[in-house]
Amino acid sequence: MTYYRPSKDIRSWGGVIRGEHEVAAPAWRDEVAPIIAEAIDRKFPILASGARRSYGDSGLNPGGALIDTVGLDRIVAFDPQTGIVRAEGGVTLDTLLRMFVPRGFFLPVTPGTRFVTLAGAIANDVHGKNHHLAGTFGCWVKRIGLVTSAGQELELSERDNPSLFRATIGGLGLTGVIAWAELKLEQIAGTLMDVEKTAFSNLEEFFELSTQSEVGWTYAVSWIDTIMAGRGVFLRANHAPASDRPPRSSERRYRVPVNFPGFLLNRHSIRLFNAVCYHKGRLRAGREVVPLARFFYPLDAVDNWNRMYGRRGMYQYQSVVPASAQADATREMLAAIADAGQSSFLAVLKTFGTKTSPGMLSFPMEGTTLALDFPNRGSETTRFLDRLDAIVREAKGRLYPAKDGRMSAEMFRLGYPDWQEFAKHVDPQFSSRFWRRVAG
Amino acid sequence: MRLVILGATSAIAEATARLYAAEGAAILLVGRNDQRLSAMANDLRERGARLAETTVCDLVSEPDVMARLEEFAALAGGIDHFLIAYGVMGLQGEAEKDPAAADAVLRVNFNSVAAWSLAAAAYFERERRGTLLVIGSVAGDRGRRANYVYGAAKAGVAAFVEGIAHRFADTGPRALLIKPGPTDTPMTRGMAGRGMLWSSPEQIAAIIYRQARKARGPVVYAPWFWRYVMLIIRNLPVRVFNRMDI
């Protein structure tokens, strides 16, 4: 009897990198240890996988084992007094929201999609639009149950196994399988968001709006047009006070059924889309009250939106540069994009606050982050991304492993000075394509 | 709504239980693994179950099913729906060489299921209401070399549940047999391929949950198209069937 089944073609969310894996899907926590033991017997390097929303290769382990944890999706306990929920690692944020929003609780930090798992959110120490106040997801994780290749489940927290705790938060699944975790939820009065939209026409205005919004606004993010460099729409929001208006129960979901042909996303269509976004934002500037999902998860309304990039997939590129260099580096990056005749369909700009992430390998730092995506056009695209790397490196910034798939080992090591400290905590039986590339 | 599930830790059973939990049902989980049953019960309570209790029982060798079922009814505060969800695939090759292995597959999938069905039928008849839900399989529709021991047990279950439904005809209680096609669960881990015809446990659960409330039956294919696929397979001439590797 084997737990594993070969799976020929597993790809990550970006669609560029794919590979053959041996996949095992535990349905119960007690199956994790025997599944790890079988992989060791069969000499597979191991990696846990969740909802497979990482874009590059940090969630892939070609030629090795993937432990698919989405079947570990039970709530273990919830304490409404403290707001602490203990749940198995494969529970999605979507499930947590469905269960706890009606009871007046919300995620303390949420990424732009609710279709990631709890363990995945921890392993990538994800951030959200409230980073300037709340820090990263990992700041709200109280305890972790980690199953390692030694075969036992370890409890990790600030007090118990603190360094392994800090290695596991943002640890890209390399320290073991996150079987369960405790997360402190935040209380909210209602399910609506009070949102203000402002159009800005250059980066100076963006940074000014950002500074202004640090006080009085819980959430802030902006979309930026990479073709008409520097213009964009700034969104800031707070949870609206309780209202009598019932939350909308049915959300419309759309789906991209097949891969779009590659030519559909070109410079002209992207220019058009971005111009529409900008002018819509400008015309509809002002305040409005919207449901939670529309503010936090606009892309979740379209299933498989990544198929829009066609069969060759896309590269995501998310960098952060420290505050001291943020204005110059961001301007240079936008100039480099324009100069290379590249364009990003969606570009997101946000400033990170001062709250330190607990993870040794956490991505956020005080400064400005820019997230871009580019259709994969082979070496033309990767050569162009190398140019962006040079700007980020010069500014002493770094790239987000969850979105990567191509950064050089040198780029990684410069960006994450604690990587060797982290490497000591990597489980000897665990690995990923990303890790072999940057640390191997 | 009060639901009792035998073999509660099976993937289809758990997905079904979550649908009942969401409407605030009282649920009794019966199975062998206490730790897994408790993990599931905690989760169901958070998902809205008014009550989620567990009880450990070796369903295949329980000596007094009638008395035990009364205990279940007491724990759940009565029974509206009774779902029999356990089963084993067994290894066909082993069963052909070793009659004891074949016997084990038959006893788990047929004899014990028949005993529990009779106990539930007696309970529902006395209460004059209630629904017996049994998970069968399309494998019971025509014996195939790949798994006819398992298939025969499931065929037996089908005739048995149909018989109970006939016995209930024009009275209050109901009996329903759900026949899933291949489903991606821990039970089928050993089977190769995961093609278009495979279902998820959640899909099957949604069908069970919906059909349990409808006054139809007694046989439901899950998903529905298996009724027609199996109609064709049952009617294939032997000469054609023998040449097929299915």
Side-chain angles (χ1 to χ4, degrees):
Chain A
M1 173 46 198
T2 167
Y3 282 105
Y4 288 90
R5 181 177 320 119
S7 188
K8 280 223 164 345
D9 186 27
I10 293 184
R11 60 191 91 177
S12 60
W13 191 248
V16 176
I17 299 153
R18 41 181 65 185
E20 192 171 341
H21 296 76
E22 291 284 335
V23 182
W28 302 93
R29 266 152 59 192
D30 60 63
E31 291 180 317
V32 176
I35 281 173
I36 290 175
E38 189 189 334
I40 296 171
D41 269 359
R42 296 174 64 183
K43 311 237 178 327
F44 300 142
I46 307 165
L47 185 66
S49 104
R52 298 190 189 147
R53 287 282 176 146
S54 289
Y55 288 77
D57 55 357
S58 60
L60 294 178
N61 189 22
L66 271 191
I67 301 182
D68 179 349
T69 58
V70 297
L72 301 176
D73 63 346
R74 296 173 194 89
I75 308 295
V76 180
F78 176 64
D79 179 355
Q81 298 300 309
T82 60
I84 292 179
V85 59
R86 183 194 279 222
E88 292 179 348
V91 163
T92 61
L93 301 187
D94 184 52
T95 299
L96 293 177
L97 291 167
R98 278 176 203 281
M99 293 179 64
F100 296 108
V101 166
R103 288 151 90 166
F105 289 90
F106 191 63
L107 297 166
V109 166
T110 175
T113 171
R114 60 188 193 273
F115 299 128
V116 298
T117 63
L118 173 62
I122 295 170
N124 293 286
D125 197 14
V126 298
H127 55 271
K129 301 172 175 63
N130 58 349
H131 184 275
H132 58 287
L133 293 178
T136 60
F137 195 85
C139 296
W140 303 87
V141 173
K142 299 293 165 198
R143 293 186 91 71
I144 295 172
L146 187 75
V147 184
T148 67
S149 65
Q152 81 257 48
E153 186 180 288
L154 299 172
E155 279 207 33
L156 320 178
S157 70
E158 295 279 10
R159 270 219 324 262
D160 307 319
N161 300 305
S163 56
L164 188 54
F165 182 65
R166 296 207 313 113
T168 299
I169 293 175
L172 303 170
L174 296 165
T175 59
V177 176
I178 299 174
W180 58 266
E182 279 182 12
L183 177 71
K184 187 168 165 52
L185 301 177
E186 174 205 23
Q187 251 177 318
I188 49 170
T191 60
L192 297 173
M193 299 299 297
D194 182 4
V195 183
E196 190 196 80
K197 247 186 216 177
T198 318
F200 58 87
S201 49
N202 55 51
L203 279 181
E204 285 69 37
E205 284 180 38
F206 163 80
F207 283 114
E208 206 180 299
L209 279 164
S210 271
T211 312
Q212 276 174 19
S213 311
E214 275 164 23
V215 180
W217 295 92
T218 311
Y219 301 95
V221 70
S222 75
W223 157 85
I224 181 165
D225 185 341
T226 55
I227 296 181
M228 304 300 281
R231 75 179 184 185
V233 178
F234 197 96
L235 287 169
R236 49 190 181 182
N238 289 314
H239 289 281
S243 81
D244 305 332
R245 220 177 96 181
R248 278 205 317 199
S249 55
S250 71
E251 289 157 40
R252 245 207 279 183
R253 290 281 290 275
Y254 305 87
R255 203 172 111 74
V256 178
V258 291
N259 285 321
F260 280 9
F263 61 83
L264 224 59
L265 273 195
N266 55 47
R267 195 169 162 75
H268 305 289
S269 64
I270 292 173
R271 178 193 290 269
L272 181 71
F273 172 82
N274 278 274
V276 168
C277 279
Y278 175 72
H279 290 291
K280 214 172 123 186
R282 196 172 54 85
L283 293 171
R284 298 222 184 123
R287 284 174 92 130
E288 63 175 329
V289 174
V290 304
L292 282 176
R294 219 172 90 204
F295 176 70
F296 287 105
Y297 314 110
L299 272 179
D300 282 349
V302 187
D303 287 346
N304 301 109
W305 60 265
N306 54 342
R307 287 180 181 160
M308 211 172 65
Y309 289 87
R311 288 163 54 105
R312 300 183 72 187
M314 60 156 150
Y315 280 104
Q316 267 262 341
Y317 189 90
Q318 184 167 358
S319 59
V320 60
V321 290
S324 55
Q326 63 189 15
D328 290 341
T330 307
R331 192 173 298 107
E332 272 182 62
M333 288 171 79
L334 292 176
I337 296 169
D339 183 49
Q342 293 281 342
S343 45
S344 170
F345 189 68
L346 267 185
V348 175
L349 194 60
K350 161 154 188 69
T351 50
F352 284 147
T354 53
K355 200 165 170 184
T356 332
S357 311
M360 291 177 189
L361 228 55
S362 290
F363 163 70
M365 61 159 102
E366 190 188 1
T368 296
T369 181
L370 177 62
L372 305 160
D373 49 40
F374 301 99
N376 173 27
R377 300 210 175 91
S379 63
E380 176 202 323
T381 311
T382 51
R383 270 204 312 274
F384 158 67
L385 296 178
D386 291 342
R387 281 182 63 187
L388 296 185
D389 282 358
I391 300 168
V392 174
R393 188 188 313 195
E394 176 71 28
K396 298 199 166 15
R398 60 190 176 209
L399 303 182
Y400 193 4
K403 305 234 174 136
D404 182 57
R406 49 153 293 281
M407 81 165 102
S408 68
E410 193 196 359
M411 183 79 191
F412 170 74
R413 292 173 185 194
L414 285 171
Y416 294 88
D418 289 344
W419 79 274
Q420 278 168 311
E421 182 56 30
F422 168 78
K424 291 182 195 157
H425 296 284
V426 171
D427 188 300
Q429 305 291 341
F430 279 59
S431 187
S432 67
R433 186 177 183 271
F434 175 82
W435 188 243
R436 289 193 283 277
R437 216 156 45 70
V438 302
Chain B
M1 174 58 66
R2 298 155 302 177
L3 170 71
V4 172
I5 311 180
L6 306 191
T9 58
S10 90
I12 293 175
E14 184 168 28
T16 309
R18 286 181 180 181
L19 299 175
Y20 280 84
E23 60 157 56
I27 306 172
L28 175 69
L29 310 172
V30 188
R32 279 181 303 180
N33 188 324
D34 195 18
Q35 200 189 342
R36 291 181 181 181
L37 290 170
S38 303
M40 191 176 152
N42 286 337
D43 177 66
L44 292 173
R45 274 191 287 271
E46 294 301 336
R47 285 175 196 263
R50 174 163 57 82
L51 177 146
E53 285 295 323
T54 67
T55 192
V56 175
C57 178
D58 186 346
L59 296 163
V60 180
S61 51
E62 172 59 45
D64 188 351
V65 291
M66 293 283 187
R68 201 67 206 269
L69 190 125
E70 296 298 331
E71 275 175 42
F72 297 163
L75 281 169
I79 308 173
D80 298 307
H81 290 182
F82 190 83
L83 173 63
I84 303 180
Y86 64 89
V88 289
M89 196 61 137
L91 292 168
Q92 178 66 24
E94 220 169 88
E96 286 174 0
K97 281 184 233 118
D98 176 7
D103 186 56
V105 172
L106 293 169
R107 274 191 302 124
V108 174
N109 292 317
F110 178 73
N111 300 55
S112 70
V113 170
W116 287 110
S117 299
L118 286 176
Y123 176 87
F124 289 145
E125 213 157 48
R126 195 182 72 216
E127 299 290 316
R128 298 213 178 85
R129 52 188 294 279
T131 301
L132 171 66
L133 303 160
V134 183
I135 300 181
S137 169
V138 295
D141 280 18
R142 185 166 189 176
R144 290 178 295 125
R145 65 172 84 93
N147 66 354
Y148 60 84
V149 178
Y150 174 81
K154 291 295 190 183
V157 166
F160 206 90
V161 175
E162 277 179 320
I164 291 175
H166 196 207
R167 165 178 160 193
F168 285 161
D170 304 322
T171 66
R174 292 178 56 223
L176 194 65
L177 181 78
I178 299 96
K179 289 189 186 177
T183 306
D184 192 3
T185 70
M187 191 184 80
T188 58
R189 266 174 193 156
M191 287 168 69
R194 286 289 182 277
M196 277 181 45
L197 294 178
W198 282 70
S199 302
S200 68
E202 289 75 22
Q203 280 173 291
I204 305 300
I207 295 167
I208 296 173
Y209 182 73
R210 203 168 55 236
Q211 294 292 336
R213 272 132 235 273
K214 283 191 185 168
R216 279 200 265 140
V219 176
V220 172
Y221 286 81
W224 58 270
F225 61 79
W226 280 104
R227 179 179 294 276
Y228 302 98
V229 176
M230 295 319 294
L231 181 73
I232 295 166
I233 290 180
R234 271 200 314 277
N235 287 292
L236 285 174
V238 174
R239 282 206 305 190
V240 177
F241 187 67
N242 282 351
R243 260 182 277 140
M244 292 174 74
D245 189 25
I246 54 171

